[in-house]
Amino acid sequence: MSLAIAALQVGYARQVVVHDVGAKLAAGTVTALIGPNGSGKSTLLKAVAGLLPHRGTVTLDDRVMGRDRGGAIAYLPQDTGVRAALTVLETVLLGRVRTLGLRLDPALVDDAARTLEGLGLASLADRAVGSLSGGQRQMVLLAQALFRAPRVLLLDEPTAALDLRHQLQVLELVRAQTSARATVTVVALHDLGLAARHADRLMCLSAGRIVAEGAASSVLTEERLRAVYGVEADIVAAREGALGVIPLRAVATGPRPG
Amino acid sequence: MSIALEHAMLAHRVRSQRRARRLLGCLGALVAVALVDLMTGPAMLTVEQVLDALLHGEGTADPMVGIIVHTIRLPMLAMAVIVGASLGLGGAVMQTILGNPLASPYTLGFSAAAGFGAATVILFGLSLPFAPWLTVPLAAFGATAAAAALVYGFARLRGATAEILVLAGIATLFLFQSLQSLLQYLASPEVLQQIVFWLFGSLIKASWSSVAVSGAILAVSLLVLLVHAWPLTALAFGDERARSLGIDVERLRVSMLLVVSLLTAGAVAFVGTIGFVGLVAPHLARILIGDDQRHLLPMSALCGATLMTAAAVVAKVLSPGSVVPIGIVTAVVGVPFLFVLIVRGRSRGE
Ligand SMILES: Nc1ncnc2c1ncn2[C@@H]1O[C@H](COP(=O)(O)OP(=O)(O)O)[C@@H](O)[C@H]1O
Ligand SMILES: [Mg+2]
């Protein structure tokens, strides 16, 4: 079981933003999507989720998907604005909006509550989402995405507003669920150390093209960081085989700012 | 389950019960105001007289009371309840699909269109041969459909985003308001008075047949809306997120828009343009019960019906004998009420 992307090309009104992207992503693995601001990470994820028109095909289990992805693909957007007076529990329940009835199935409510508990959010279940901090809201929306139990999980910078402990917790949970449910997971991340530690593979996007993919040690090289990010950085081996990326200074030959 | 989770689930149950209690409470308030409405009029009745008339039909101790209650006051009350509920419901849906607290059936020009349709047939003295009483309502209905088609056309061309719909709606509003003014300018003084009276709205035109038509529209719309309660709730997360949850956002918006135009037409066709209830009732309901549409929709209908009935009572008390146009009373009573809501701030998430 796998997700295959072939010759994907996505653009907005005038300019093409993602060029000819192809990839094959195996079930049960987490792929980290890295790349500078404006390199097209969000655009690529939205296109795969069926939220943007695109050229090329997205194939799940040898079945080419139509415009409506049929609820198989969950996409967690980058921004976390919510303007509704809803509780956290209701927010999570909405993950399965297509199956909810006027009378809530108690088993479903239980399921949603357990998802919250898995993320350590049990005590927030009855709070209004609007009253949460940015980080808490990000966790709740992640819970919503996990509650869908999708075949393909696309997370757009899910740790952007989180503290160290929660970054760790979220990415560990995502990885555990990915292998337990044989999900195809792609996470856009800015923190390269986190990407190296928590993803099975890295995919590096630069100006809308994939310039490298594979294991962290092969993707994260000093030359590549210089070419893609325009940064001179030290890459150091840490404990337990983790990699640390220490940016030293910006170099002149950087990419255009995005 | 952890203790924290059990606490949260308990809080969730308490919240559900509180919402149910508030719905019941609002229903109780509606019944009470309705009773007062039946008692109020040129001939003031006691509670006993009203209850007696309700229980025994027209064969009450005092036949006069029976006639007053059954042929005069009950149809007007039923119409007030239906119109208030329709406008409250329409406003709630409008605010949800446009993500805009200022939205109401007024905002997209539906009411203005209805007024234009009515003014047209009044001005030209048109009348349907088989059912004269249906002429004005049908004209109002037709014009509302035209307004909905206009807004829908915009949406088809440019995508049914909230911004496009609000813009299209405001354009429609101005168009039909200007046309209305033109008709008023052309009308003779007597006809002008007729048009203005219709525009202000009055329950005096209520009859059992109009109650049946508007009531049927309300019932069907409420059902359709409740079926879409969860997708409507999901819209609160913004288009992109709702779409990523598997909802066809544009289609949902357009179909709900059609339901609102139907509701508006059903509400104003018989009694004239009554505004404001459609703006205030959803706000009140949201403060009482939150944004979960399964509860917000019925609550908005209940609040609308209660406000409308209360306005009817006030109108009768203010000018016993003559009929103050209820559209004016709803605005005069509603504006301070809205101010209070704004000043108190929105306590959200109940
Ligand atoms: N809605 C949009 N309309 C037009 N251009 C856009 C839109 N969203 C993003 N872009 C452009 O597409 C490029 C890629 O953006 P994005 O996919 O958001 O990058 P990333 O997520 O990697 O930071 C940027 O140059 C950005 O300006
Ligand atoms: Mg992005």
Side-chain angles (χ1 to χ4, degrees):
Chain A
M1 199 184 95
S2 68
L3 180 79
I5 300 167
L8 201 74
Q9 179 173 322
V10 201
Y12 298 100
R14 281 196 187 78
Q15 100 254 49
V16 176
V17 167
V18 169
H19 306 268
D20 190 33
V21 164
K24 202 163 164 66
L25 308 166
T29 62
V30 176
T31 305
L33 186 61
I34 61 171
N37 290 336
S39 58
K41 300 183 296 297
S42 300
T43 305
L44 174 59
L45 291 182
K46 284 183 213 171
V48 172
L51 302 176
L52 286 176
H54 60 79
R55 297 243 186 92
T57 55
V58 176
T59 313
L60 185 61
D61 299 342
D62 307 320
R63 212 169 44 77
V64 177
M65 308 200 83
R67 179 78 207 267
D68 180 7
R69 304 293 200 242
I73 303 185
Y75 168 68
L76 180 70
Q78 195 171 345
D79 82 283
T80 61
V82 177
R83 54 163 193 248
L86 293 172
T87 68
V88 166
L89 190 65
E90 287 166 342
T91 304
V92 175
L93 279 166
L94 277 170
R96 297 205 198 150
V97 64
R98 284 184 165 196
T99 59
L100 294 176
L102 267 187
R103 277 205 70 82
L104 279 177
D105 179 2
L108 208 60
V109 178
D110 233 50
D111 226 20
R114 266 173 227 288
T115 307
L116 281 173
E117 194 171 33
L119 282 165
L121 302 172
S123 59
L124 298 182
D126 198 52
R127 287 270 298 276
V129 261
S131 72
L132 301 181
S133 77
Q136 288 172 325
R137 203 153 55 226
Q138 197 163 39
M139 298 279 286
V140 168
L141 292 171
L142 178 72
Q144 187 189 59
L146 291 176
F147 179 61
R148 286 179 70 176
R151 307 276 309 282
V152 179
L153 183 62
L154 309 175
L155 307 173
D156 201 347
E157 297 187 26
T159 57
L162 302 186
D163 62 40
L164 282 180
R165 186 190 158 85
H166 284 103
Q167 290 177 0
L168 196 70
Q169 191 189 355
V170 161
L171 290 173
E172 276 178 357
L173 185 80
V174 165
R175 193 167 204 177
Q177 295 228 357
T178 297
S179 54
R181 295 178 184 167
T183 315
V184 177
T185 302
V186 183
V187 192
L189 283 174
H190 270 309
D191 188 317
L192 302 180
L194 278 181
R197 178 127 178 83
H198 293 283
D200 300 294
R201 280 146 44 91
L202 266 60
M203 212 154 84
C204 180
L205 214 53
S206 176
R209 296 175 202 276
I210 296 180
V211 292
E213 70 153 331
S217 54
S218 72
V219 172
L220 296 180
T221 62
E222 286 168 17
E223 302 81 74
R224 184 156 292 122
L225 294 188
R226 178 192 294 270
V228 172
Y229 287 89
V231 159
E232 190 181 325
D234 248 359
I235 294 173
V236 295
R239 275 186 292 168
E240 300 179 18
L243 286 181
V245 177
I246 302 166
L248 299 173
R249 65 190 66 85
V251 292
T253 57
R256 59 180 172 82
Chain B
M1 276 202 189
S2 69
I3 295 191
L5 191 59
E6 271 176 34
H7 268 288
M9 295 308 284
L10 183 66
H12 171 71
R13 274 194 297 278
V14 169
R15 182 187 294 275
S16 305
Q17 285 160 7
R18 185 167 64 225
R19 285 176 177 170
R21 270 203 310 278
R22 288 189 177 171
L23 273 170
L24 280 178
C26 201
L27 187 63
L30 175 59
V31 170
V33 178
L35 263 182
V36 174
D37 179 77
L38 289 178
M39 291 157 56
T40 316
M44 299 299 276
L45 305 178
T46 64
V47 184
E48 290 81 18
Q49 280 173 311
V50 168
L51 290 179
D52 188 44
L54 286 179
L55 290 178
H56 298 105
E58 293 184 18
T60 40
D62 182 349
M64 241 352 253
V65 171
I67 288 170
I68 290 177
V69 169
H70 282 273
T71 59
I72 302 175
R73 294 190 188 168
L74 259 185
M76 280 169 66
L77 169 64
M79 205 62 202
V81 168
I82 289 168
V83 168
S86 300
L87 292 176
L89 200 55
V93 175
M94 215 64 145
Q95 291 174 9
T96 300
I97 60 176
L98 299 182
N100 189 329
L102 289 178
S104 76
Y106 257 18
T107 321
L108 292 196
F110 291 170
S111 308
F116 167 71
T120 307
V121 292
I122 295 175
L123 176 66
F124 294 109
L126 303 177
S127 171
L128 288 176
F130 51 95
W133 67 278
L134 265 178
T135 312
V136 173
L138 270 181
F141 218 94
T144 313
L150 209 60
V151 175
Y152 177 74
F154 262 103
R156 281 301 296 263
L157 284 178
R158 291 296 320 274
T161 64
E163 289 77 18
I164 294 289
L165 288 182
V166 169
L167 277 177
I170 293 199
T172 311
L173 176 66
F174 275 103
L175 171 67
F176 281 104
Q177 260 174 2
S178 319
L179 290 176
Q180 235 181 62
S181 306
L182 178 68
L183 292 185
Q184 292 181 29
Y185 177 73
L186 293 176
S188 66
E190 303 82 64
V191 174
L192 179 62
Q193 197 181 7
Q194 242 181 305
I195 293 178
V196 168
F197 185 71
W198 193 92
L199 290 180
F200 280 151
S202 162
L203 293 171
I204 201 84
K205 290 163 258 179
S207 69
W208 283 120
S209 11
S210 55
V211 164
V213 174
S214 303
I217 291 177
L218 173 63
V220 172
S221 306
L222 184 61
L223 259 171
V224 173
L225 293 173
L226 280 178
V227 168
H228 291 90
W230 279 109
L232 280 171
T233 307
L235 272 190
F237 289 95
D239 285 14
E240 181 168 275
R241 199 175 288 277
R243 216 173 285 135
S244 79
L245 288 174
I247 294 167
D248 189 339
V249 173
E250 309 225 321
R251 193 155 130 203
L252 177 69
R253 227 183 234 125
V254 167
S255 49
M256 292 301 103
L257 203 65
L258 292 181
V259 175
V260 175
S261 66
L262 198 65
L263 270 174
T264 311
V268 303
F270 293 104
V271 300
T273 45
I274 292 165
F276 225 76
V277 172
L279 180 64
V280 179
H283 281 287
L284 184 60
R286 200 171 291 115
I287 284 172
L288 289 172
I289 217 157
D291 262 335
D292 181 338
Q293 304 279 328
R294 290 175 304 150
H295 306 115
L296 180 65
L297 293 175
M299 193 61 163
S300 299
L302 276 176
C303 286
T306 310
L307 283 175
M308 188 74 190
T309 311
V313 174
V314 172
K316 283 197 265 187
V317 171
L318 281 184
S319 70
S322 81
V323 186
V324 172
I326 191 164
I328 296 178
V329 177
T330 50
V332 170
V333 173
V335 170
F337 193 71
L338 184 64
F339 282 157
V340 171
L341 292 188
I342 294 168
V343 170
R344 272 196 45 200
R346 291 179 256 177
S347 75
R348 320 207 78 195
E350 275 303 318

